[in-house]
Amino acid sequence: MKHVLITGCTRGLGLAMARSFAAKGWTVSGCGTNPIRVDVLAAELGEKHRVVRTDVSSESGVADFARDILAGPGAPDLLINNAAIINRNAALWEVSAEEFSRVLDVNLKGIHLVLREFLPAMIARGSGVVVNFSSGWGRSTSPEVAPYCATKWGVEGLTQALAQELPSGLAAVALNPGIIDTEMLQSCFGGSSSDFPDPKKWATTAVPFLENLGPKDNGKSLTAP
């Protein structure tokens, strides 16, 4: 039975992926920061799966999360770094230092903390795929979301460098999920976000795509179908 770990799994794309992978028979591990959403998803998925409250920007929190998961379902076959936030729409010079730092901490440093804790076990086993969620704004730019763009461009570079470091049998991929009607998109696009597919519909094609990733894809910058 395969094991997928999804950060930020209690809302948006993460929630849709958790439900879809579970329905396909995968063991799902994941984390989120909202305690109510964590409890609701944990109850929905059932005892076979493990969803806990964790802030990926917390070094000690991620370490505790990893110890729990590695002692239970073990090293993931597929590790999806999905947790991310976006700054409020604003010109870069109007973004506070605190807000800029928070976006950086979650979107980029959080990936590093998760990889530090789980990759050694995946490497020791000799297999596994890391998918770091990027964005269309990790390959292009837009006004008023400069901090978010900076982190997603960082995800692309981090992932390509990681791919060069991984031993044979493993892979690291940067994935642009596309434009989906999530809370994050709503914060940027307002009501027009409803013009795009919802996470549940997105997952019907994205999850099979993720299931088929392997060592052959190492270092690629991909876009979900």
Side-chain angles (χ1 to χ4, degrees), residues 124-140:
R125 186 186 56 208
S127 64
V129 176
V130 171
V131 179
N132 295 327
F133 267 45
S134 178
S135 170
W137 285 336
R139 302 167 192 174
S140 64

Side-chain angles (χ1 to χ4, degrees), residues 43-131:
E44 175 187 333
L45 296 183
E47 294 182 359
K48 169 186 166 183
H49 310 282
R50 184 73 174 142
V51 181
V52 300
R53 183 182 179 187
T54 303
D55 182 344
V56 296
S57 70
S58 166
E59 183 175 0
S60 62
V62 172
D64 290 343
F65 172 58
R67 277 193 293 271
D68 181 35
I69 299 304
L70 293 175
D77 298 290
L78 178 59
L79 194 167
I80 302 176
N81 278 305
N82 165 71
I85 60 173
I86 197 166
N87 59 286
R88 291 168 294 174
N89 285 19
L92 181 58
W93 59 89
E94 296 174 346
V95 177
S96 71
E98 292 78 12
E99 185 173 17
F100 191 100
S101 292
R102 181 61 181 160
V103 173
L104 185 69
D105 286 347
V106 173
N107 296 8
L108 201 51
K109 292 182 182 179
I111 290 177
H112 175 234
L113 292 177
V114 171
L115 294 178
R116 279 184 62 203
E117 296 296 337
F118 287 98
L119 264 180
M122 296 168 70
I123 291 170
R125 186 186 56 208
S127 64
V129 176
V130 171
V131 179

Side-chain angles (χ1 to χ4, degrees), residues 135-211:
S135 170
W137 285 336
R139 302 167 192 174
S140 64
T141 58
S142 188
E144 299 191 334
V145 287
Y148 182 80
C149 290
T151 61
K152 292 304 183 178
W153 279 72
V155 168
E156 293 280 339
L158 179 149
T159 305
Q160 289 185 29
L162 171 63
Q164 295 173 319
E165 298 167 349
L166 290 176
S168 176
L170 282 84
V173 171
L175 182 73
N176 168 19
I179 306 177
I180 307 100
D181 183 16
T182 62
E183 292 175 31
M184 186 179 293
L185 191 71
Q186 291 160 16
S187 77
C188 303
F189 284 20
S192 64
S193 66
S194 61
D195 294 339
F196 300 95
D198 63 36
K200 183 178 180 180
K201 182 177 181 180
W202 171 85
T204 61
T205 54
V207 167
F209 177 80
L210 290 165
E211 287 182 301

Side-chain angles (χ1 to χ4, degrees), residues 2-6 17-18 21-22 26-30 76-80:
K2 291 198 171 183
H3 174 207
V4 60
L5 188 150
I6 307 167
M17 287 189 290
F21 275 109
W26 287 61
T27 297
V28 176
S29 297
D77 298 290
L78 178 59
L79 194 167
I80 302 176

